[in-house]
Amino acid sequence: MDSSDSAPTSFFSSGVVSSLKKVKAGSRPSVEIHLPDAEVGKVRLRFAPEPSGYLHIGHAKAALLSKYFAEIYQGEIIIRFDDTNPAKESNEFVDNILADIDTLGIKYEAITNTSDYFDELMKMAEKLIREGKAYVDDTPREQMQKDRMDGVDSKCRNNSVEENLKLWREMIDGTERGLQCCIRGKLDMQDLNKSLRDPVYYRCNPVPHHRIGSKYKVYPTYDFACPYVDAREGITHALRSSEYHDRNAQYYRIQEDMGMRRVDGWDDARFPTVQGIVRRGLKIEALIQFIVEQGASKNLNLMEWDKLWSINKKIIDPVCPRHTAVVTEKRVLLTLTDGPEKPFVRITPRHKKYKGAGEKATTYTNQIWIDHADAVSISAGEEVTLMDWGNAIVKEIEKDHEGNVTRLSGVLHLEGSVKTTKLKLTWLPEIDELVNLTLVDFDYLITKKKLEEGEDFLDVLNPCTRKETAAYGDSNMRNLKRGEILQLERKGYFRCDVPFLRPSKPIVLYAIPDGRQQKSLK
């Protein structure tokens, strides 16, 4: 059973036990005893002991409850050895646990190991680093624990993706430097639920593994591995003891960051429901106009989505406010040596041709951020236009040993003509007031415009339908309201799905199609 886009429902053994007390000994279970959202024949449970000791009563309780529910719902159980800590585990414990499971009379579908997924888990960890959802931290363990209790950000939290990947390779190689490091998820260090305060995902451990020897020198934590493997193995319900209550939010958040949560529901922005397309940014006026233009056509089932979104663009463009964003990964700092010594602010319109969009405050500084994609297009000595400011001449370009542009310096040339420059650049001031953004793009759920007769839609499902990009936005975006539509200059149109709550929680913006040919998210 493959359920890579679904998440199991967690429930707690203490609550289950209290329900069991309602059943008289020897009687069949009543309908009051159930698993949330369970369907007969579609329940898959897992018993996941760590092979670091012998089974005790607590383990037996979890195993027997899994057996009980598997029988009631005509489901199945898998045994998964959570073998992520080679320093404590051995084949002796594996053999004895299996013997005890047999003694308990538990019939299982399969035996798996978390170590079966080590390669996949390492790729996932690197993916999260590249997406800015995880970072490498070398803070000593005691200090890290204190910082988590106090809600203090690690000094490593805002390291560049390049620096994180460099240290990740040190961890993989098990070097002396790597042994000082761990990978942490970039969740929310100020959340009242302390399990969400940047949990550890990976640690170095040079001890050989009891199954696979010395192949790896890094191992995932339970918190990181369990959400991933549960989803991969199609677990529908995760029986967890009551001490995991506060960790449920962490479990689901990690699955969400991994892209392994089930879709949101009928208002998922990828669905062709009214709620779905409105959540993605479609105006009802555009839908009405589109349907009117279709007239009495008999081909309404073959909707021309590009045309619908093109109509929508004509409605939103004249009125939606303009803002600026810079992609977080590899962003480049441009130093203007003759720029303003002290930052100053100008009040500018949010839309130059529509006063109803209101105003925004734009800060001007002598150091500004630009997108990496723009930085690599600039030549030394080239004159460029800084949008809503004026021209500048880039004098020097710094690169790292791999040839990546890391820094630029130049001078303002405000008397220069905008008409003579090839590059018109969006930029953000280097100030603390910038906001964190998550830009979400979507692709079609299926890879064909039309299914042929007898063709199974499961055969043409798109494996990548959602992509998230971390970015910084101008400080005015703190005032965006949920549902508000805006244009990010040179990036496209977006709908605010999650507004600003606090600095550690990104504003979530959904990309709105504009009617042009859509590129694949792969």
Side-chain angles (χ1 to χ4, degrees):
M1 180 185 296
D2 184 7
S3 184
S4 59
D5 65 345
S6 65
T9 301
S10 289
F11 57 98
F12 311 113
S13 58
S14 58
V16 171
V17 171
S18 65
S19 295
L20 290 174
K21 290 176 181 176
K22 301 175 184 177
V23 183
K24 295 180 180 179
S27 67
R28 293 299 297 165
S30 73
V31 293
E32 294 179 359
I33 306 171
H34 64 278
L35 301 180
D37 303 317
E39 294 182 46
V40 173
K42 296 184 179 181
V43 168
R44 196 177 215 214
L45 305 163
R46 46 86 165 151
F47 175 51
E50 181 183 1
S52 58
Y54 295 86
L55 292 191
H56 51 64
I57 294 297
H59 289 127
K61 169 184 168 184
L64 289 171
L65 283 172
S66 294
K67 174 179 182 287
Y68 171 84
F69 286 115
E71 290 174 351
I72 294 303
Y73 287 96
Q74 301 170 30
E76 57 190 31
I77 302 173
I78 63 170
I79 306 300
R80 182 200 307 149
F81 286 105
D82 179 40
D83 54 347
T84 60
N85 188 352
K88 295 182 178 181
E89 299 158 0
S90 73
N91 288 321
E92 174 194 354
F93 296 132
V94 171
D95 294 340
N96 280 278
I97 288 171
L98 288 175
D100 290 343
I101 288 171
D102 185 58
T103 299
L104 293 171
I106 296 172
K107 305 299 180 185
Y108 49 85
E109 185 73 16
I111 298 174
T112 67
N113 304 273
T114 299
S115 55
D116 297 337
Y117 300 90
F118 277 176
D119 283 347
E120 294 179 30
L121 286 162
M122 288 178 68
K123 290 176 183 176
M124 178 58 73
E126 182 164 322
K127 174 178 178 285
L128 295 183
I129 290 173
R130 292 184 182 278
E131 292 176 351
K133 297 176 182 177
Y135 61 98
V136 179
D137 196 348
D138 62 0
T139 303
R141 188 170 295 199
E142 289 186 5
Q143 182 63 44
M144 187 184 298
Q145 290 173 343
K146 183 179 186 302
D147 289 346
R148 289 192 73 203
M149 290 299 295
D150 297 339
V152 176
D153 283 1
S154 164
K155 67 183 188 302
C156 304
R157 200 173 198 269
N158 294 315
N159 284 352
S160 68
V161 171
E162 292 75 19
E163 178 67 13
N164 285 323
L165 290 174
K166 178 182 176 182
L167 291 175
W168 171 229
R169 287 189 282 271
E170 297 273 359
M171 290 178 64
I172 292 172
D173 293 339
T175 66
E176 183 176 350
R177 180 75 175 103
L179 289 169
Q180 299 170 344
C181 301
C182 67
I183 291 182
R184 298 176 68 182
K186 189 182 286 189
L187 304 189
D188 189 344
M189 283 298 289
Q190 284 74 50
D191 202 292
L192 295 178
N193 183 342
K194 292 184 175 63
S195 75
L196 290 169
R197 295 184 180 181
D198 291 10
V200 174
Y201 286 173
Y202 258 91
R203 287 193 176 96
C204 268
N205 193 335
V207 177
H209 191 276
H210 70 279
R211 284 188 69 232
I212 48 183
S214 300
K215 181 179 179 180
Y216 302 98
K217 296 181 175 63
V218 289
Y219 293 91
T221 60
Y222 174 86
D223 287 342
F224 183 70
C226 187
Y228 179 87
V229 180
D230 275 353
R232 283 285 284 109
E233 293 188 337
I235 303 303
T236 61
H237 295 77
L239 177 56
R240 292 146 66 87
S241 54
S242 55
E243 65 263 25
Y244 282 94
H245 184 277
D246 288 342
R247 302 179 89 84
N248 258 16
Q250 178 203 82
Y251 178 96
Y252 288 124
R253 170 63 190 276
I254 292 173
Q255 280 193 327
E256 185 174 348
D257 278 359
M258 290 176 171
M260 303 186 82
R261 287 292 302 271
R262 64 179 69 126
V263 291
D264 296 341
W266 291 111
D267 66 342
D268 187 286
R270 289 162 288 193
F271 283 2
T273 58
V274 172
Q275 292 184 27
I277 56 178
V278 168
R279 187 177 179 190
R280 193 167 179 180
L282 188 79
K283 290 292 187 180
I284 295 300
E285 307 96 280
L287 182 60
I288 294 171
Q289 184 178 333
F290 173 73
I291 291 173
V292 169
E293 290 184 11
Q294 287 280 333
S297 169
K298 296 180 180 180
N299 295 321
L300 284 175
N301 57 320
L302 302 179
M303 298 183 72
E304 301 171 31
W305 286 104
D306 293 344
K307 183 176 181 180
L308 173 62
W309 291 112
S310 180
I311 294 171
N312 192 65
K313 176 187 174 181
K314 293 177 182 178
I315 292 173
I316 64 177
D317 181 75
V319 296
C320 71
R322 272 54 170 165
H323 287 275
T324 303
V326 169
V327 174
T328 302
E329 186 175 4
K330 295 184 179 180
R331 67 191 186 280
V332 176
L333 197 64
L334 167 57
T335 299
L336 300 166
T337 55
D338 63 342
E341 293 184 8
K342 293 183 179 181
F344 67 90
V345 177
R346 287 178 182 159
I347 304 302
T348 57
R350 293 175 78 202
H351 191 305
K352 292 177 181 176
K353 297 180 180 180
Y354 177 60
K355 291 183 179 180
E359 296 178 326
K360 62 184 178 182
T362 302
T363 302
Y364 298 80
T365 60
N366 58 13
Q367 289 191 314
I368 60 175
W369 293 111
I370 65 172
D371 282 312
H372 179 262
D374 286 336
V376 299
S377 301
I378 300 173
S379 304
E382 183 174 3
E383 185 167 355
V384 299
T385 296
L386 305 177
M387 292 178 63
D388 295 324
W389 192 350
N391 286 5
I393 300 173
V394 176
K395 298 289 189 179
E396 296 180 2
I397 300 175
E398 296 181 23
K399 299 182 179 181
D400 61 19
H401 64 281
E402 295 180 348
N404 295 310
V405 177
T406 57
R407 199 175 183 90
L408 302 171
S409 63
V411 294
L412 289 169
H413 188 234
L414 299 182
E415 64 274 21
S417 171
V418 174
K419 296 179 181 179
T420 62
T421 57
K422 180 179 68 175
L423 297 176
K424 276 60 172 177
L425 307 181
T426 44
W427 56 274
L428 287 174
E430 203 285 301
I431 56 175
D432 294 336
E433 289 75 20
L434 300 180
V435 295
N436 292 311
L437 306 176
T438 298
L439 309 181
V440 184
D441 207 349
F442 299 101
D443 204 345
Y444 296 111
L445 290 173
I446 60 175
T447 56
K448 296 182 68 175
K449 284 191 173 183
K450 179 185 178 183
L451 292 181
E452 304 300 330
E453 185 175 351
E455 189 171 16
D456 190 339
F457 81 93
L458 292 175
D459 295 332
V460 291
L461 280 178
N462 191 341
C464 181
T465 60
R466 178 183 174 118
K467 179 183 178 182
E468 295 185 359
T469 303
Y472 286 108
D474 64 71
S475 59
N476 303 275
M477 295 171 73
R478 294 169 185 261
N479 300 319
L480 289 175
K481 295 178 174 58
R482 187 173 193 273
E484 187 170 352
I485 289 176
L486 64 147
Q487 183 186 51
L488 293 180
E489 299 278 13
R490 298 177 60 233
K491 287 182 170 58
Y493 303 93
F494 292 81
R495 175 190 173 276
C496 179
D497 195 65
V498 179
F500 179 82
L501 299 173
R502 56 180 180 273
S504 59
K505 294 278 259 192
I507 297 170
V508 179
L509 301 179
Y510 280 7
I512 304 173
D514 60 8
R516 293 182 292 183
Q517 186 67 38
Q518 186 168 320
K519 294 181 180 179
S520 172
L521 297 182
K522 293 181 181 178

